[in-house]
Amino acid sequence: MARTVYTDGVPGEPGAGGWAWAVEDGRFASGAEARTTNQRMEIAAALEAVRALDGELEVASDSTYVVNCFRDRWWEVVGPGMDQLRPQAGGQPGPVGAAGRAGAGPR
């Protein structure tokens, strides 16, 4: 069963911005950039969660951009440079098979 990770980014537009992810067991991470955009921070939150957490994930996000990325499997269209979003050998999944749910929040 997939674990749900809640992600969010806060705007720069442009300016300072931040990102964060959290799972129900209490693990979380966050970061910031001095000059960025909201979309970059939304994607950073999801990407950092995928990098940090093992196993199958369900990514919950209020970002249509992030939800569409996972739902439509953009990394298959974009190609080179997005290979870290593909499943790894040995059954280590990336976000392939993850489902985004716009507007989802903690239960």
Side-chain angles (χ1 to χ4, degrees):
M1 175 149 71
R3 175 172 33 170
T4 300
V5 58
Y6 301 96
T7 66
D8 204 2
V10 295
E13 301 308 343
W19 59 265
W21 62 259
V23 291
E24 291 184 16
D25 70 6
R27 287 186 61 193
F28 69 94
S30 62
E33 292 186 26
R35 290 197 48 81
T36 190
T37 65
N38 186 54
Q39 285 185 336
R40 285 185 65 206
M41 294 295 91
E42 295 283 358
I43 285 290
L47 179 59
E48 294 303 325
V50 168
R51 286 178 173 164
L53 300 169
D54 294 328
E56 185 178 350
L57 298 173
E58 178 180 78
V59 175
S61 177
D62 64 354
S63 167
T64 300
Y65 187 70
V66 171
V67 170
N68 290 346
C69 178
F70 284 93
R71 184 196 64 213
D72 298 340
R73 301 168 65 101
W74 287 1
W75 59 91
E76 292 177 350
V77 177
V78 176
M82 297 296 284
D83 58 338
Q84 61 188 316
L85 293 178
R86 297 172 194 228
Q88 304 296 309
Q92 294 297 320
V96 173
R101 294 181 295 147
R107 294 178 193 148

